[in-house]
Amino acid sequence: MFSFFKRKPKDNAPQANAPATPETAPIQAPDTTAPVPEPVPAVTPAQPVPVAEPVAAYERDELPPTSAPAPDAGHAVPAPAAVPIELPEAPAPAPSAPAEPDAQAVPERKLSWTERLKAGLAKTRSKLGKQLAGLFGGGKIDEDLYEELETVLLTADMGVDATMHLLGDVRERVSLKGLKDASELKGALKDSLLELIGPLEQPLSVEGKQPFVIMMAGVNGAGKTTSIGKLAKYYQSQGKKVMLAAGDTFRAAAREQLMAWGERNNVTVIAQQGGDAAAVCFDAIQAAKARGIDVVLADTAGRLPTQLHLMEEIKKVKRVIQKAIPDGPHEVMLVIDANTGQNAVTQVKAFDDALGLTGLILSKLDGSAKGGVIAAIAKQRPVPLRFVGVGESIDDLRPFSARDYVDALFD
Ligand SMILES: Nc1nc2c(ncn2[C@@H]2O[C@H](COP(=O)(O)OP(=O)(O)OP(=O)(O)O)[C@@H](O)[C@H]2O)c(=O)[nH]1
């Protein structure tokens, strides 16, 4: 399905010792062995793609002005950075064996979302559920049982804080209701978990702003680009006009994935050969304003919170978006891979501290036995969980429902 969106080695990721310094040079792929389809060096002439109206290039450490200026000779940026590419008009480079999202989405629709969520959570459920089934099988509620429950919750990646919270809460429920039998514990635990993660369920509304700008962030390979494709389709299906900003300028393949996807789905993609992420997002918002676009989805390159210069770079992207649209970005969304387990909480904290997150996407729940991390996030940094991803197909991203999640986990 979205396999063309990402089949890349992780060593393609920008590293802390990346040669390009955001403040001094255009971002380049740090690893010269990276399998990019074509090199995009600063001296390479622009590719022979249809060129939209010229857009000013910006010095990397300057905020672009709100009106297009003549580039300052002293701050000239290599010509390729100033070449915007727009789709669907532009012929997209064909990635190897691209999947057709629409065509493949059809069979997926045979399953209801609840069924897919349940299937997606199968790994977590089989780990957590089997162990819990053993606990809830019968017998009396005693300290041994609580100890076992603690171990089960910890191994489902709920983390120490959430586990302690849930145990305390379950104990209270047990004593309040006078529960005696272990079989009655399941209901108490479900209620506790629902109460803990319920506040994360805050669906994202894109109404009231035009364009509504969603900026994506996350570590390498978390699922940003894939989630953008899914979100674009999601909002398109609600009748919204969507535009994509190919702000992942580190990885050429990311731009091409978006462009290929945009072409197939008739969604305009604003991209540049080279250039920097902030300039791409700025251009996209200007174009979106001019064309009455409802939702702009801005991709950014993956980065680790420990890569401080890259964290500074993404802060700059946000500042530049604010130049283009003063109350934007309207959503700063962190994509986290469910397989990350407890490290996901660390990522949420770090990106939240740097950017002020307003929402999360938890991707790849399907491949993970660590779905309990939602409880850890709820306890330690409760940023609204907007969407969960349970597969690579176009329909495998849906608004988070705490009730569906708890039911899929236990039933
Ligand atoms: N099984 C599964 N795979 C997913 C999901 N979301 C994304 N993927 C896969 O994860 C891989 C990485 O996804 P990308 O969207 O390219 O990740 P990214 O965050 O844009 O990566 P960078 O550009 O390197 O930062 C791809 O193979 C996707 O198909 C999901 O919900 N479930």
Side-chain angles (χ1 to χ4, degrees):
M1 188 65 41
F2 270 80
S3 51
F4 74 95
F5 255 24
K6 184 51 125 348
R7 292 294 183 213
K8 65 179 173 54
K10 292 290 176 273
D11 60 3
N12 199 19
Q15 299 300 313
N17 59 355
T21 305
E23 288 70 29
T24 58
I27 300 166
Q28 296 176 352
D31 182 350
T32 52
T33 63
V36 294
E38 78 242 357
V40 191
V43 294
T44 303
Q47 298 297 306
V49 292
V51 175
E53 66 272 15
V55 178
Y58 311 113
E59 172 64 20
R60 291 190 46 75
D61 52 1
E62 270 185 4
L63 299 183
T66 46
S67 60
D72 179 328
H75 292 121
V77 171
V83 181
I85 305 163
E86 296 194 26
L87 281 176
E89 294 81 15
S96 56
E100 175 48 68
D102 280 340
Q104 294 190 14
V106 175
E108 298 291 337
R109 291 203 180 91
K110 286 177 187 162
L111 288 180
S112 72
W113 167 249
T114 313
E115 288 166 327
R116 284 208 301 275
L117 180 64
K118 213 167 167 177
L121 281 168
K123 281 196 181 171
T124 303
R125 198 175 59 246
S126 76
K127 192 169 168 187
L128 183 68
K130 271 184 199 153
Q131 290 171 315
L132 289 177
L135 284 186
F136 299 148
K140 62 181 173 45
I141 299 174
D142 57 16
E143 281 310 306
D144 286 349
L145 187 71
Y146 282 125
E147 253 183 54
E148 282 181 57
L149 181 57
E150 180 180 330
T151 308
V152 171
L153 297 180
L154 285 173
T155 53
D157 259 270
M158 297 210 177
V160 175
D161 290 2
T163 298
M164 291 306 140
H165 171 90
L166 287 171
L167 278 176
D169 196 62
V170 166
R171 279 176 189 272
E172 250 175 56
R173 286 172 198 266
V174 165
S175 81
L176 271 177
K177 292 183 182 167
L179 307 181
K180 297 270 182 292
D181 195 86
S183 60
E184 298 169 305
L185 211 59
K186 182 175 172 182
L189 181 61
K190 275 183 78 171
D191 290 347
S192 280
L193 186 58
L194 190 58
E195 201 174 281
L196 176 62
I197 67 173
L200 295 187
E201 182 183 323
Q202 294 178 42
L204 177 63
S205 167
V206 297
E207 305 299 332
K209 309 281 178 193
Q210 201 180 28
F212 189 96
V213 179
I214 301 175
M215 174 184 164
M216 307 293 271
V219 303
N220 314 90
K224 294 178 293 302
T225 311
T226 309
S227 296
I228 283 179
K230 292 173 178 174
L231 280 177
K233 198 76 183 173
Y234 175 78
Y235 287 121
Q236 262 192 331
S237 71
Q238 295 179 1
K240 304 287 181 203
K241 284 208 277 180
V242 179
M243 179 180 275
L244 310 183
D248 183 350
T249 50
F250 270 105
R251 194 166 64 84
R255 183 185 67 225
E256 284 158 15
Q257 284 161 10
L258 274 191
M259 289 166 70
W261 192 89
E263 185 188 37
R264 285 191 181 82
N265 293 278
N266 204 28
V267 173
T268 304
V269 181
I270 301 293
Q272 291 183 358
Q273 290 286 8
D276 77 1
V280 172
C281 293
F282 185 86
D283 292 347
I285 292 167
Q286 300 296 58
K289 281 182 185 169
R291 299 177 196 187
I293 296 290
D294 299 305
V295 180
V296 175
L297 290 156
D299 199 7
T300 60
R303 69 203 71 223
L304 295 172
T306 47
Q307 293 173 305
L308 298 182
H309 62 298
L310 296 179
M311 293 305 283
E312 284 308 311
E313 196 246 7
I314 199 168
K315 286 188 206 171
K316 178 186 156 190
V317 173
K318 186 181 173 190
R319 288 197 304 274
V320 171
I321 288 175
Q322 283 162 344
K323 279 264 173 186
I325 188 159
D327 61 348
H330 307 104
E331 178 81 356
V332 183
M333 188 111 82
L334 180 72
V335 182
I336 39 179
D337 178 340
N339 296 292
T340 325
Q342 282 302 292
N343 193 257
V345 182
T346 312
Q347 289 174 20
V348 173
K349 287 179 178 169
F351 277 93
D352 190 28
D353 291 345
L355 293 172
L357 298 176
T358 55
L360 302 175
I361 290 180
L362 187 64
S363 69
K364 308 188 203 179
L365 262 179
D366 51 313
S368 169
K370 300 178 173 181
V373 73
I374 292 179
I377 292 168
K379 187 66 191 144
Q380 295 183 55
R381 190 62 70 100
V383 176
L385 178 52
R386 305 295 196 187
F387 295 91
V388 290
V390 292
E392 294 185 83
S393 92
I394 196 85
D395 285 327
D396 287 334
L397 187 82
R398 286 291 178 89
F400 172 63
S401 155
R403 164 63 68 188
D404 286 357
Y405 174 80
V406 171
D407 286 347
L409 211 53
F410 285 86
D411 298 333

